[in-house]
Amino acid sequence: MTVTADERVAQVGLARRLLIRPELGAVVGMVVVFVFFAAQSPVFRSPDGIANWLDPAATLGIMAVAVALLMIGGEFDLSAGVLTGTSGLILVTLATRFGFNVWIAMLVGLVVALAVGLANGLVVTRTKLPSFIVTLGTFLMLQGINLGVTKAITGTVQVSGLRRASGFEGANAVLAGTIQIGGTSFRVAILWWILVTAVATWVLMRSKAGNWIFAVGGNEQAARAVGVPAVRTKIALFMTTAFAAWLVGSILALRYTSVQANIGIGQEFIYIIAAVIGGCLLTGGYGSAIGAAIGAVIFGMADKGIVFLGWDADWFTFFLGGMLLLATLANRLVRRYAEEVRH
């Protein structure tokens, strides 16, 4: 009698395990981009240069990791970018116009952001409408609220003066300050980014919730059939994205002490692109949090590397398009290879 090996316990070599990792393409891309800019710019590879390009990567990475989890769960959130602006506007407006302590204003912003995420999740799961449409509607409503309320309160499209609010110094040190490493100043946001990535990776790879996320993104009907709480999982993912938007919005508001009503608009696509470059499939059920974080590093290096080389900043959008196409092709090849290895 021939015994067929169970594929779940089949031995796969180290090289093959690495080749089927979703973040493989992003790692290769990160190395190529770093070598390219580092070879031409001593500033880029210096400690100050590294701190410079890790800064935009951090705030983008926090959002990209949360968006990656949502994409693995099979959904999109087009309101994520504008929600960062909403969170920042609530913080600065309450602290400067209504006398709130900065910490209390941040707490109110967190409640509002989570409510938006909850609403997105409830509408998507109850109506079965595509999350693309639902969150596009949320995006437009938040954009209108941000502009309308800001103009009504301040008469302009900007709220400023956060530095004079009570509690600013402490909140700024925790979320928007700097730390010294080897004589170089690095933004605290980098530590938050690392923490968010580590927690998201643990949830995906080591927890029951991670199995649920992959299951509902890969085949929701099958996941329901085996007892996965699909509705609860998807609502939690939308609220996770909203939490990340609140965190990034608060970091930026504390850093700049003022917020424009249109901040964050358009960034939602950057978050999705970073997640795709990091190995997430647009169809859901596949990807990694570390890959999305690496995708953010590539954006940070390109964003600042182009400036260090003195190029026209318009080339950044060309770079985005090229990276998106290459990453999508690479992810497709990796996915096919992974399926062949499993069979």
Side-chain angles (χ1 to χ4, degrees):
M1 182 176 65
T2 302
V3 178
T4 304
D6 188 333
E7 67 173 13
R8 294 171 298 179
V9 296
Q11 294 296 317
V12 179
L14 176 62
R16 285 194 170 189
R17 288 204 301 271
L18 292 175
L19 285 174
I20 62 176
R21 292 295 307 167
E23 60 269 20
L24 173 66
V27 172
V28 174
M30 180 179 66
V31 173
V32 171
V33 172
F34 177 82
V35 170
F36 175 76
F37 285 112
Q40 302 182 68
S41 170
V43 177
F44 181 87
R45 60 178 183 267
S46 68
D48 287 335
I50 293 173
N52 204 299
W53 50 256
L54 279 179
D55 179 29
T59 50
L60 169 60
I62 292 171
M63 288 303 304
V65 167
V67 167
L69 294 183
L70 184 62
M71 288 177 62
I72 295 170
E75 304 293 348
F76 294 94
D77 188 351
L78 296 185
S79 66
V82 73
L83 188 55
T84 64
T86 304
S87 301
L89 285 168
I90 291 172
L91 164 58
V92 181
T93 302
L94 291 180
T96 62
R97 305 290 167 165
F98 298 95
F100 280 54
N101 181 280
V102 168
W103 292 103
I104 302 299
M106 285 174 55
L107 182 61
V108 175
L110 175 60
V111 172
V112 172
L114 292 178
V116 172
L118 175 64
N120 280 336
L122 286 173
V123 173
V124 169
T125 54
R126 296 290 174 83
T127 65
K128 306 301 180 186
L129 287 171
S131 55
F132 181 88
I133 298 299
V134 172
T135 56
L136 178 60
T138 305
F139 162 80
L140 293 173
M141 288 189 288
L142 289 177
Q143 183 181 9
I145 290 173
N146 289 356
L147 285 169
V149 173
T150 304
K151 281 186 176 179
I153 294 177
T154 68
T156 69
V157 295
Q158 177 177 318
V159 190
S160 58
L162 186 61
R163 189 179 300 277
R164 296 187 296 274
S166 64
F168 171 78
E169 294 298 334
N172 183 67
V174 172
L175 292 178
T178 59
I179 55 174
Q180 294 291 320
I181 300 177
T184 302
S185 295
F186 290 84
R187 288 285 187 179
V188 173
I190 296 171
L191 298 181
W192 285 102
W193 171 40
I194 294 172
L195 176 63
V196 168
T197 304
V199 171
T201 300
W202 182 85
V203 169
L204 270 182
M205 306 306 296
R206 299 292 182 184
S207 74
K208 184 186 294 183
N211 291 333
W212 293 348
I213 293 170
F214 282 110
V216 298
N219 187 329
E220 184 174 347
Q221 295 303 320
R224 288 175 185 272
V226 296
V228 172
V231 170
R232 201 189 333 158
T233 301
K234 292 203 172 189
I235 291 175
L237 289 173
F238 277 108
M239 294 182 72
T240 300
T241 305
F243 175 85
W246 164 80
L247 180 58
V248 171
S250 299
I251 289 172
L252 296 179
L254 289 163
R255 181 181 299 179
Y256 301 119
T257 68
S258 65
V259 178
Q260 294 278 346
N262 62 353
I263 191 172
I265 295 175
Q267 289 298 302
E268 53 279 342
F269 294 108
I270 304 297
Y271 307 148
I272 293 173
I273 292 171
V276 171
I277 290 175
C280 292
L281 294 181
L282 294 172
T283 51
Y286 188 79
S288 79
I290 293 178
I294 295 173
V297 173
I298 293 174
F299 276 105
M301 289 194 294
D303 184 25
K304 296 302 179 183
I306 287 173
V307 174
F308 291 153
L309 294 184
W311 293 359
D312 191 318
D314 292 340
W315 283 101
F316 182 63
T317 56
F318 171 82
F319 175 85
L320 290 186
M323 286 300 297
L324 177 62
L325 286 176
L326 289 174
T328 304
L329 291 172
N331 292 342
R332 186 177 181 183
L333 291 174
V334 170
R335 180 65 172 169
R336 285 183 175 178
Y337 181 76
E339 290 174 347
E340 290 175 0
V341 168
R342 292 192 180 98
H343 293 87

mmCIF file of all heavy atoms in Angstrom, residues 91 95 100-104 106 162-174 254:
data_model
loop_
_atom_site.group_PDB
_atom_site.id
_atom_site.type_symbol
_atom_site.label_atom_id
_atom_site.label_comp_id
_atom_site.label_asym_id
_atom_site.label_seq_id
_atom_site.Cartn_x
_atom_site.Cartn_y
_atom_site.Cartn_z
ATOM 1 N N LEU A 91 -8.199 66.933 16.900
ATOM 2 C CA LEU A 91 -7.214 67.201 17.944
ATOM 3 C C LEU A 91 -6.901 68.693 18.048
ATOM 4 O O LEU A 91 -7.007 69.302 19.123
ATOM 5 C CB LEU A 91 -5.943 66.398 17.661
ATOM 6 C CG LEU A 91 -4.665 66.810 18.409
ATOM 7 C CD1 LEU A 91 -4.876 66.755 19.915
ATOM 8 C CD2 LEU A 91 -3.499 65.922 18.002
ATOM 9 N N ALA A 95 -8.328 71.380 20.987
ATOM 10 C CA ALA A 95 -7.285 71.888 21.889
ATOM 11 C C ALA A 95 -7.106 73.401 21.776
ATOM 12 O O ALA A 95 -6.823 74.066 22.783
ATOM 13 C CB ALA A 95 -5.965 71.175 21.611
ATOM 14 N N PHE A 100 -9.575 72.190 25.178
ATOM 15 C CA PHE A 100 -9.369 70.819 25.649
ATOM 16 C C PHE A 100 -7.876 70.583 25.905
ATOM 17 O O PHE A 100 -7.016 71.106 25.200
ATOM 18 C CB PHE A 100 -9.852 69.805 24.619
ATOM 19 C CG PHE A 100 -11.343 69.579 24.614
ATOM 20 C CD1 PHE A 100 -12.242 70.637 24.495
ATOM 21 C CD2 PHE A 100 -11.853 68.300 24.725
ATOM 22 C CE1 PHE A 100 -13.610 70.428 24.477
ATOM 23 C CE2 PHE A 100 -13.221 68.072 24.711
ATOM 24 C CZ PHE A 100 -14.101 69.147 24.588
ATOM 25 N N ASN A 101 -7.584 69.764 26.916
ATOM 26 C CA ASN A 101 -6.223 69.247 27.060
ATOM 27 C C ASN A 101 -5.915 68.374 25.837
ATOM 28 O O ASN A 101 -6.811 67.686 25.324
ATOM 29 C CB ASN A 101 -6.124 68.413 28.342
ATOM 30 C CG ASN A 101 -4.731 67.856 28.573
ATOM 31 O OD1 ASN A 101 -4.350 66.845 27.974
ATOM 32 N ND2 ASN A 101 -3.968 68.517 29.429
ATOM 33 N N VAL A 102 -4.671 68.387 25.398
ATOM 34 C CA VAL A 102 -4.304 67.661 24.177
ATOM 35 C C VAL A 102 -4.628 66.171 24.286
ATOM 36 O O VAL A 102 -5.115 65.552 23.329
ATOM 37 C CB VAL A 102 -2.806 67.863 23.863
ATOM 38 C CG1 VAL A 102 -2.342 66.888 22.778
ATOM 39 C CG2 VAL A 102 -2.549 69.295 23.417
ATOM 40 N N TRP A 103 -4.388 65.585 25.469
ATOM 41 C CA TRP A 103 -4.652 64.152 25.625
ATOM 42 C C TRP A 103 -6.149 63.861 25.496
ATOM 43 O O TRP A 103 -6.543 62.846 24.887
ATOM 44 C CB TRP A 103 -4.134 63.665 26.969
ATOM 45 C CG TRP A 103 -2.639 63.671 27.078
ATOM 46 C CD1 TRP A 103 -1.871 64.585 27.748
ATOM 47 C CD2 TRP A 103 -1.729 62.736 26.481
ATOM 48 N NE1 TRP A 103 -0.546 64.269 27.598
ATOM 49 C CE2 TRP A 103 -0.424 63.136 26.841
ATOM 50 C CE3 TRP A 103 -1.888 61.605 25.687
ATOM 51 C CZ2 TRP A 103 0.709 62.442 26.435
ATOM 52 C CZ3 TRP A 103 -0.757 60.905 25.278
ATOM 53 C CH2 TRP A 103 0.514 61.325 25.644
ATOM 54 N N ILE A 104 -6.980 64.735 26.091
ATOM 55 C CA ILE A 104 -8.433 64.543 25.996
ATOM 56 C C ILE A 104 -8.891 64.720 24.547
ATOM 57 O O ILE A 104 -9.736 63.952 24.050
ATOM 58 C CB ILE A 104 -9.169 65.553 26.900
ATOM 59 C CG1 ILE A 104 -8.710 65.401 28.355
ATOM 60 C CG2 ILE A 104 -10.676 65.351 26.788
ATOM 61 C CD1 ILE A 104 -8.983 64.036 28.946
ATOM 62 N N MET A 106 -7.142 64.127 21.922
ATOM 63 C CA MET A 106 -6.731 62.922 21.190
ATOM 64 C C MET A 106 -7.695 61.773 21.454
ATOM 65 O O MET A 106 -8.023 60.995 20.550
ATOM 66 C CB MET A 106 -5.308 62.524 21.593
ATOM 67 C CG MET A 106 -4.223 63.411 20.999
ATOM 68 S SD MET A 106 -2.575 62.991 21.642
ATOM 69 C CE MET A 106 -2.481 61.262 21.249
ATOM 70 N N LEU A 162 -1.431 74.681 18.067
ATOM 71 C CA LEU A 162 -1.456 73.557 19.002
ATOM 72 C C LEU A 162 -0.350 73.654 20.047
ATOM 73 O O LEU A 162 -0.498 73.166 21.170
ATOM 74 C CB LEU A 162 -1.343 72.234 18.226
ATOM 75 C CG LEU A 162 -1.490 70.950 19.056
ATOM 76 C CD1 LEU A 162 -2.859 70.881 19.719
ATOM 77 C CD2 LEU A 162 -1.284 69.717 18.176
ATOM 78 N N ARG A 163 0.756 74.307 19.699
ATOM 79 C CA ARG A 163 1.904 74.363 20.609
ATOM 80 C C ARG A 163 1.547 75.033 21.937
ATOM 81 O O ARG A 163 2.142 74.738 22.971
ATOM 82 C CB ARG A 163 3.055 75.131 19.924
ATOM 83 C CG ARG A 163 4.376 75.078 20.672
ATOM 84 C CD ARG A 163 5.448 75.843 19.913
ATOM 85 N NE ARG A 163 5.657 75.270 18.589
ATOM 86 C CZ ARG A 163 6.424 74.219 18.338
ATOM 87 N NH1 ARG A 163 7.043 73.625 19.341
ATOM 88 N NH2 ARG A 163 6.563 73.769 17.104
ATOM 89 N N ARG A 164 0.547 75.914 21.939
ATOM 90 C CA ARG A 164 0.191 76.642 23.168
ATOM 91 C C ARG A 164 -0.835 75.901 24.023
ATOM 92 O O ARG A 164 -1.184 76.337 25.107
ATOM 93 C CB ARG A 164 -0.385 78.024 22.795
ATOM 94 C CG ARG A 164 0.613 78.945 22.093
ATOM 95 C CD ARG A 164 0.034 80.339 21.920
ATOM 96 N NE ARG A 164 -1.139 80.315 21.039
ATOM 97 C CZ ARG A 164 -1.073 80.397 19.716
ATOM 98 N NH1 ARG A 164 0.106 80.516 19.121
ATOM 99 N NH2 ARG A 164 -2.169 80.370 18.976
ATOM 100 N N ALA A 165 -1.338 74.760 23.528
ATOM 101 C CA ALA A 165 -2.374 74.020 24.247
ATOM 102 C C ALA A 165 -1.790 73.252 25.426
ATOM 103 O O ALA A 165 -0.626 72.842 25.411
ATOM 104 C CB ALA A 165 -3.089 73.072 23.292
ATOM 105 N N SER A 166 -2.606 73.051 26.470
ATOM 106 C CA SER A 166 -2.140 72.293 27.632
ATOM 107 C C SER A 166 -1.945 70.828 27.270
ATOM 108 O O SER A 166 -2.753 70.249 26.531
ATOM 109 C CB SER A 166 -3.152 72.407 28.772
ATOM 110 O OG SER A 166 -4.386 71.810 28.403
ATOM 111 N N GLY A 167 -0.883 70.240 27.785
ATOM 112 C CA GLY A 167 -0.595 68.836 27.508
ATOM 113 C C GLY A 167 0.182 68.606 26.230
ATOM 114 O O GLY A 167 0.498 67.454 25.896
ATOM 115 N N PHE A 168 0.521 69.704 25.525
ATOM 116 C CA PHE A 168 1.203 69.531 24.236
ATOM 117 C C PHE A 168 2.587 68.914 24.388
ATOM 118 O O PHE A 168 2.945 68.001 23.637
ATOM 119 C CB PHE A 168 1.315 70.877 23.510
ATOM 120 C CG PHE A 168 2.198 70.824 22.293
ATOM 121 C CD1 PHE A 168 1.724 70.284 21.102
ATOM 122 C CD2 PHE A 168 3.520 71.276 22.343
ATOM 123 C CE1 PHE A 168 2.537 70.205 19.990
ATOM 124 C CE2 PHE A 168 4.342 71.201 21.232
ATOM 125 C CZ PHE A 168 3.854 70.667 20.051
ATOM 126 N N GLU A 169 3.359 69.410 25.352
ATOM 127 C CA GLU A 169 4.746 68.957 25.468
ATOM 128 C C GLU A 169 4.831 67.447 25.686
ATOM 129 O O GLU A 169 5.624 66.750 25.059
ATOM 130 C CB GLU A 169 5.440 69.701 26.613
ATOM 131 C CG GLU A 169 5.601 71.193 26.385
ATOM 132 C CD GLU A 169 6.472 71.510 25.179
ATOM 133 O OE1 GLU A 169 7.325 70.665 24.833
ATOM 134 O OE2 GLU A 169 6.288 72.583 24.565
ATOM 135 N N GLY A 170 3.978 66.936 26.601
ATOM 136 C CA GLY A 170 4.016 65.498 26.875
ATOM 137 C C GLY A 170 3.585 64.661 25.687
ATOM 138 O O GLY A 170 4.236 63.672 25.327
ATOM 139 N N ALA A 171 2.476 65.057 25.054
ATOM 140 C CA ALA A 171 1.988 64.303 23.899
ATOM 141 C C ALA A 171 2.966 64.372 22.739
ATOM 142 O O ALA A 171 3.190 63.376 22.029
ATOM 143 C CB ALA A 171 0.627 64.847 23.464
ATOM 144 N N ASN A 172 3.578 65.549 22.566
ATOM 145 C CA ASN A 172 4.544 65.705 21.476
ATOM 146 C C ASN A 172 5.760 64.816 21.696
ATOM 147 O O ASN A 172 6.279 64.220 20.745
ATOM 148 C CB ASN A 172 4.969 67.172 21.393
ATOM 149 C CG ASN A 172 5.926 67.420 20.235
ATOM 150 O OD1 ASN A 172 5.554 67.312 19.074
ATOM 151 N ND2 ASN A 172 7.180 67.721 20.557
ATOM 152 N N ALA A 173 6.218 64.699 22.958
ATOM 153 C CA ALA A 173 7.382 63.855 23.240
ATOM 154 C C ALA A 173 7.085 62.383 22.963
ATOM 155 O O ALA A 173 7.945 61.647 22.470
ATOM 156 C CB ALA A 173 7.806 64.045 24.694
ATOM 157 N N VAL A 174 5.855 61.944 23.265
ATOM 158 C CA VAL A 174 5.495 60.530 23.105
ATOM 159 C C VAL A 174 5.266 60.157 21.646
ATOM 160 O O VAL A 174 5.666 59.073 21.196
ATOM 161 C CB VAL A 174 4.228 60.213 23.929
ATOM 162 C CG1 VAL A 174 3.724 58.803 23.633
ATOM 163 C CG2 VAL A 174 4.520 60.361 25.418
ATOM 164 N N LEU A 254 0.682 66.870 15.931
ATOM 165 C CA LEU A 254 1.606 67.278 16.988
ATOM 166 C C LEU A 254 2.935 67.749 16.418
ATOM 167 O O LEU A 254 3.557 68.661 16.935
ATOM 168 C CB LEU A 254 1.834 66.103 17.949
ATOM 169 C CG LEU A 254 0.640 65.753 18.834
ATOM 170 C CD1 LEU A 254 0.808 64.358 19.426
ATOM 171 C CD2 LEU A 254 0.482 66.786 19.951
#
